Amino acid sequence: MLAGSRPVPARGVLLLAGGTADLGQPQETSMFQRNKVAAIVALGASMAVAGPAAAVVQPAGAERPLEVEAGKPVRAHRHVSPGVPTGKQRSAARLAAVGLGQTMWDDATGVVLRAWGRGETVVGAVADAGVAAAAARRSLAAWIGDLAPGASPSDFVLVGNAVVGGVRTVGFAQHHRGLPVIGGQVSFAYKRDRLIMVSSQAIPDVVVALPRRAARPADVRAAAVAYLTPRVAGGVRAGAIGARAILPLVRGPGDIELRVVDEVAVAATTQPAAWQVYLDATTGAPIARRSTVHTGAGVVTYQVPDRHPGGTSTAQPARAANHVVDGTPTVADGVGGVSWVGAAPATVAPGLTSAQIVIDDDSGPLATAALTLDDAGTTTWDVGGDLDTLAQLTAFIHGTLVKDHARAWGYPGTSYLDQPLLVVVNEAGACNAYSNGDDIHFFPAGTLDDGTPCGNTGTLPDVVYHEYGHSLHIQGVTPGVGQFDAAVSEGLADLLAALITGDPAMGRGFFVTDEPLRHLDPLGDEATWPDDESFDPHFTGLIIAGAMWDLRTRLLPVLGEEATQAKLHELLWALMARSTDIPSTFVEALVADDDDGDLTNGTPNECAIRDAFAAHGLSDAALMPLYAAPLIDGLSVTLPLLPGAAGANPSCPPVTVTGATISWRLAASPEIAGEVELTEGATAWTGAIPTPATPGVIEAQVRVTLSGGASNTLPDNPADPYYQLYSGALFPVWCASFDDEPTTWTTDGGADDEWAWGVPAPGETSPDPAAAFTGTHVFGTDLGTRGRYESDGLTWAQTPVIDVRGYEGVRLQYRRWLTVEDGVYDQARVVVDDDVLWSNAVGEGGLHHLDGEWRLHDLDLATQAADGSVQVRYELISDGGLEFGGWTLDDVCVMAAGGDGPPAVCGDGEVGGAESCDDGNTADGDGCSATCDLEAGDEPGCCQTGGRPTGPLVLGLATLGLLAWPRRRRARR
């Protein structure tokens, strides 16, 4: 997400009720400031330490999916590669040979995340679980090296075999030497008796040393309690000890640590929080923890709000409620009807429990009333403005409604729907709600840190629906096939609420107004993958929620209301059951929509699905490149086009570029800014930034819109999200284009010296460029097939001392292709005369600086040039973990301001500035005076021995290759 690229509402919340400072206190931030959330909340898939984690508003200080005790954090989200990664061509070919030619790959593990297509026939696979299991075993054995490199078929245990929406999925859990590998799984999907998709979240090449003895249960519990007690207000207690297992700590490509662990459940004693704690099986030391409580939003009533107490309300029937009528316990029917003996009016003590719903008020006893009910009449329990009591009624009515809604639209987990749902209202705290995977909880009204009031979440029907959506998701995941992902869950829970209300504005009333908490379809502000991926899953979840809502918009005119609702719920339940993260939702939607077991011939609603998901960056077409990196020459901008991306269904139009805009601002005066719409051409979109009145560095971004509504912002580097160019007259003082070997440069020369001059030659794992920016050669760290810098090192390269006497406005401008880990761990620095002028951005462990194109970088050297010389050094400092490509440099130039070229030096043999001649000396009487003026009788230029380039040169992003002019002055040392 790029700062300033999206409108930000005036307020919002990001709260956690209770907890210690270590675990997070209530804080305020805008709910839509996606670009700032990562800097405020260190979380991945939203697993909270000091409180519920899938709340309707995200707790500050909440955890990543797996919070590691020491070392670098694990990845927050799975990232996927478009197309087939280098080195995986044979695996892809084997899958394609059986009709599974469309693939999606896990960047970190290198394993195929999804492979789908026409597949192969397996007669009886959908109807017969045994047939499907046997077929899946055969496929697993045949493709074990592709689905789980380094494993054997016997490492996988059958754990799931279920039919959801006509799709049978068979899931296997990964083991190694008898120990389960946490999160490792492989699954097979059959529809219409065809294998149409395989999925793998297996961990490759598992090798661990097993401990020699089992830990004593008392020791395991004691270690887990000792670990969390200092971190949790009120203390914790240990529960069940799980099986010994292998815990993968997946941090990034090639960075996977495997630990053998004992796991134990730990719960807080005074707050709704619980964890699974992982302890080293040999030493007992804590390794990581995973929250098992998930946060969210919800509401309930008799005379209850339709959306919130400040809006309209309706007398809703208390279906199936347990009442006492004239002293007799009575169960209401499906429309709220009751009966009693006699025709006289009855006295009704209304209830807040049923076979479906059990209301519990954390602040005190349940409310009571004595209502009079006439024969053939209606009575209403109306508590007016008593919000705490209203929460009891609202939670009962709308909790019943959402359960009935799920049952009516075919939620597959009927056994869970039949269980009573515990709904706790007025729980200690404020401004929050959560699901723990089963029951749902709501907090009373309160006030945010900025003084904004928040409503009692138990009085908000949207929030009741949302929280129950989390519970449905957690209960509905097919073992060994799907995985609970907090961002997916937040998005689908928001979607469930929106489908019930028919309104994409979710959570009206949270701020005690009609303002929504989140919006699935904000005008001009659609959330897209990966631009709007956030550490906060509520924001990331808007990507899938928005895609599904856009699909609703596309289907309504074609299918009508009822069929559209049915289709969206079919997809909703399938995504809950089988998706593993945001990228996988697109493929799972196609699988659910398929009607003949062949994904290569399209699905009934494929074009609408592709359009809707592409608008949010999720379709396979959206992953394909449609344009090259922008070319910026001076102030002119060109966006080269590549061939359009077509989907598997030939009847669906290809995705194309429909617009491009460049936004710019002066770096020194951001208020001087503008936006230019580029003009479409046959092979490119073109335009130009107007020349600012004030020369200086310009920062720019290019926003590209695609058919279907998706948009992308360039450069695609959150660590450095603006292109740089320079508006003004500059000329080169000194340049190194690296067409010749940089013999005047020096490097550290030690064991860690990794600098090399040569032709870029990236290999399978190298993130270096494929070619130089100009010419053929570059200068950088670890050029070659590996292309990654060494760990635990300091390496540097520096220019010679460059003479800048007499020059003004001295600047450094160079081309870089830099890839380096987050500045928390590794630092790439530009040092001039021992002053650090630039270093890569510092994030929270995941803000890696990853240039994917040649970038111009401009730095002001005025301070360093004041003494008449500068020396530039490029440094790279690395820790012991993840490595990338490091520095690759081209066209390094020291520039100076001015339109008349370098200052004249009388006696250097070159006419410049105000000189009328220069004969290479400072003697009089030879036709050219000691001050380089013509002596009597001589013609202008008669005694010049050489020429100096003069005139202004406006430096742009595509002209550096022209600037490697010869040195005219000797550098001082």
Side-chain angles (χ1 to χ4, degrees):
M1 176 64 199
L2 301 176
S5 66
R6 305 175 78 84
V8 179
R11 68 169 182 271
V13 290
L14 193 64
L15 298 179
L16 170 67
T20 65
D22 177 56
L23 301 173
Q25 290 291 338
Q27 298 182 30
E28 180 207 358
T29 188
S30 169
M31 291 301 291
F32 292 91
Q33 277 183 296
R34 300 182 182 90
N35 56 306
K36 295 184 180 178
V37 167
I40 300 172
V41 184
L43 56 97
S46 150
M47 302 300 173
V49 174
V56 70
V57 277
Q58 176 59 33
E63 298 185 352
R64 294 171 177 269
L66 187 70
E67 191 70 13
V68 182
E69 174 61 16
K72 300 178 186 177
V74 296
R75 65 179 178 183
H77 304 281
R78 178 181 283 113
H79 291 271
V80 297
S81 297
V84 180
T86 304
K88 296 297 180 180
Q89 287 80 2
R90 291 185 179 179
S91 289
R94 280 189 288 269
L95 294 169
V98 292
L100 303 175
Q102 299 180 71
T103 56
M104 185 181 293
W105 301 79
D106 186 323
D107 276 351
T109 65
V111 172
V112 61
L113 182 66
R114 293 288 192 280
W116 68 96
R118 180 179 176 83
E120 55 187 7
T121 301
V122 182
V123 177
V126 175
D128 191 320
V131 169
R137 275 287 181 196
R138 291 193 297 272
S139 297
L140 178 63
W143 308 323
I144 187 66
D146 307 316
L147 301 178
S152 67
S154 61
D155 289 334
F156 288 85
V157 176
L158 180 65
V159 293
N161 195 336
V163 176
V164 176
V167 178
R168 179 176 291 281
T169 45
V170 181
F172 298 90
Q174 185 178 8
H175 288 66
H176 174 73
R177 299 179 67 181
L179 299 184
V181 178
I182 297 172
Q185 60 186 39
V186 173
S187 65
F188 302 84
Y190 302 89
K191 190 166 188 178
R192 297 295 180 94
D193 285 353
R194 297 190 67 84
L195 172 63
I196 60 172
M197 189 175 70
V198 299
S199 169
S200 176
Q201 288 81 49
I203 301 300
D205 305 315
V206 177
V207 177
V208 295
L210 300 184
R212 295 184 178 181
R213 60 174 63 88
R216 293 175 59 240
D219 294 340
V220 173
R221 289 190 176 93
V225 168
Y227 166 46
L228 281 185
T229 294
R231 294 168 166 78
V232 180
V236 297
R237 62 179 181 275
I241 297 177
R244 181 162 285 181
I246 298 171
L247 176 67
L249 303 177
V250 182
R251 297 186 170 97
D255 191 0
I256 303 174
E257 181 184 0
L258 301 170
R259 302 291 294 271
V260 179
V261 296
D262 291 316
E263 49 184 308
V264 57
V266 178
T269 57
T270 61
Q271 55 183 294
W275 303 268
Q276 198 72 12
V277 173
Y278 300 100
L279 306 168
D280 187 283
T282 299
T283 66
I287 294 175
R289 62 182 180 266
R290 188 192 308 273
S291 174
T292 55
V293 173
H294 307 283
T295 61
V299 81
V300 83
T301 315
Y302 278 49
Q303 178 72 31
V304 296
D306 296 322
R307 300 296 293 279
H308 59 89
T312 60
S313 67
T314 302
Q316 297 272 11
R319 299 190 301 275
N322 296 321
H323 303 301
V324 177
V325 181
D326 283 345
T328 301
T330 303
V331 178
D333 63 21
V335 293
V338 295
S339 60
W340 63 94
V341 177
T347 299
V348 179
L352 291 165
T353 65
S354 71
Q356 294 191 65
I357 302 291
V358 177
I359 301 298
D360 177 41
D361 193 315
D362 197 49
S363 66
L366 294 180
T368 59
L371 308 177
T372 299
L373 180 58
D374 292 332
D375 184 20
T378 299
T379 188
T380 302
W381 192 5
D382 187 348
V383 299
D386 181 353
L387 293 182
D388 289 351
T389 303
L390 185 61
Q392 298 178 14
L393 276 60
T394 306
F396 181 84
I397 294 298
H398 288 282
T400 301
L401 186 152
V402 70
K403 289 190 71 173
D404 289 346
H405 181 93
R407 185 179 284 106
W409 291 107
Y411 177 75
T414 53
S415 61
Y416 175 65
L417 291 178
D418 291 339
Q419 298 170 11
L421 173 67
L422 174 63
V423 182
V424 181
V425 299
N426 300 318
E427 188 162 311
C431 305
N432 216 335
Y434 69 94
S435 160
N436 65 8
D438 186 353
D439 42 82
I440 53 180
H441 300 246
F442 304 92
F443 297 169
T447 303
L448 307 180
D449 286 351
D450 68 348
T452 302
C454 66
N456 184 312
T457 53
T459 67
L460 307 177
D462 290 23
V463 183
V464 174
Y465 308 151
H466 175 99
E467 296 308 337
Y468 193 59
H470 283 306
S471 294
L472 291 176
H473 185 190
I474 294 165
Q475 298 288 335
V477 173
T478 302
V481 179
Q483 287 181 345
F484 180 85
D485 177 85
V488 172
S489 193
E490 293 297 343
L492 296 183
D494 278 356
L495 175 68
L496 177 63
L499 290 177
I500 294 174
T501 64
D503 181 7
M506 201 288 296
R508 294 188 188 273
F510 184 87
F511 300 113
V512 198
T513 68
D514 204 45
E515 177 187 349
L517 179 61
R518 288 188 290 277
H519 205 297
L520 279 62
D521 195 27
L523 182 63
D525 194 32
E526 299 282 3
T528 61
W529 181 271
D531 284 358
D532 293 307
E533 176 192 9
S534 167
F535 282 128
D536 185 341
H538 297 87
F539 302 141
T540 307
L542 287 171
I543 299 171
I544 180 57
M548 291 288 282
W549 190 262
D550 285 354
L551 177 60
R552 176 183 183 272
T553 302
R554 287 167 168 78
L555 293 181
L556 276 173
V558 179
L559 302 181
E561 176 111 14
E562 184 172 356
T564 295
Q565 280 282 80
K567 175 56 66 176
L568 288 171
H569 282 88
E570 176 189 358
L571 301 185
L572 173 64
W573 309 139
L575 297 187
M576 285 185 173
R578 297 193 295 269
S579 65
T580 54
D581 45 31
I582 294 288
S584 69
T585 56
F586 165 68
V587 185
E588 293 297 350
L590 290 182
V591 170
D593 188 53
D594 176 67
D595 63 347
D596 64 357
D598 184 354
L599 291 180
T600 62
N601 63 3
T603 73
N605 302 289
E606 180 170 334
C607 294
I609 292 172
R610 285 185 176 277
D611 281 350
F613 278 64
H616 296 267
L618 292 178
S619 77
D620 53 355
L623 294 171
M624 298 177 65
L626 300 178
Y627 46 85
L631 304 176
I632 306 177
D633 184 0
L635 299 179
S636 298
V637 182
T638 300
L639 183 75
L641 293 175
L642 301 174
N649 189 337
S651 65
C652 297
V655 179
T656 59
V657 175
T658 58
T661 303
I662 184 163
S663 301
W664 62 271
R665 67 187 187 188
L666 280 182
S669 304
E671 70 278 5
I672 302 176
E675 189 172 274
V676 177
E677 296 286 342
L678 303 188
T679 302
E680 183 179 10
T683 60
W685 290 71
T686 58
I689 297 171
T691 302
T694 305
V697 174
I698 294 176
E699 296 177 331
Q701 294 178 326
V702 177
R703 188 169 182 83
V704 184
T705 56
L706 308 178
S707 55
S711 63
N712 298 317
T713 301
L714 304 171
D716 184 15
N717 182 357
D720 189 9
Y722 289 92
Y723 293 116
Q724 283 189 328
L725 52 152
Y726 191 85
S727 171
L730 295 174
F731 61 87
V733 175
W734 177 94
C735 279
S737 67
F738 302 120
D739 291 335
D740 297 318
E741 186 171 2
T743 55
T744 60
W745 288 62
T746 55
T747 61
D748 57 271
D752 295 327
D753 186 356
E754 304 177 57
W755 290 84
W757 171 75
V759 177
E764 293 184 2
T765 62
S766 172
D768 288 341
F773 177 70
T774 59
T776 58
H777 287 63
V778 298
F779 190 45
T781 54
D782 256 329
L783 303 179
T785 56
R786 180 177 183 272
R788 294 176 182 268
Y789 53 81
E790 299 297 329
S791 60
D792 286 323
L794 164 62
T795 187
W796 55 264
Q798 68 181 7
T799 67
V801 175
I802 300 167
D803 185 353
V804 292
R805 288 175 298 176
Y807 297 101
E808 295 185 359
V810 178
R811 316 189 67 80
L812 173 66
Q813 293 190 330
Y814 67 98
R815 293 285 178 165
R816 66 149 204 254
W817 190 304
L818 172 64
T819 56
V820 64
E821 191 180 13
D822 190 316
V824 169
Y825 305 114
D826 295 352
Q827 296 82 46
R829 309 196 306 183
V830 181
V831 181
V832 180
D833 294 350
D834 296 325
D835 295 329
V836 177
L837 297 193
W838 182 85
S839 184
N840 57 301
V842 173
E844 296 178 345
L847 190 62
H848 308 316
H849 182 114
L850 302 175
D851 287 336
E853 58 189 300
W854 282 106
R855 296 279 298 275
L856 174 70
H857 192 191
D858 178 289
L859 292 170
D860 186 350
L861 304 187
T863 300
Q864 292 72 31
D867 65 355
S869 68
V870 294
Q871 187 171 34
V872 181
R873 185 168 71 250
Y874 295 90
E875 295 182 349
L876 182 57
I877 305 168
S878 60
D879 69 355
L882 183 63
E883 298 89 31
F884 291 100
W887 287 108
T888 305
L889 305 176
D890 205 352
D891 293 343
V892 178
C893 286
V894 172
M895 310 293 291
D900 296 325
V905 178
C906 184
D908 66 355
E910 297 177 357
V911 176
E915 294 177 340
S916 57
C917 64
D918 194 323
D919 59 359
N921 63 59
T922 55
D924 291 323
D926 56 2
C928 186
S929 73
T931 57
C932 289
D933 293 316
L934 285 171
E935 296 180 320
D938 290 317
E939 296 298 327
C942 71
C943 303
Q944 179 177 339
T945 62
R948 183 190 300 276
T950 59
L953 179 64
V954 178
L955 182 64
L957 287 178
T959 59
L960 258 174
L962 306 176
L963 299 179
W965 294 357
R967 278 280 290 143
R968 299 302 186 190
R969 302 177 63 190
R970 188 179 306 275
R972 292 187 296 112
R973 290 187 179 275

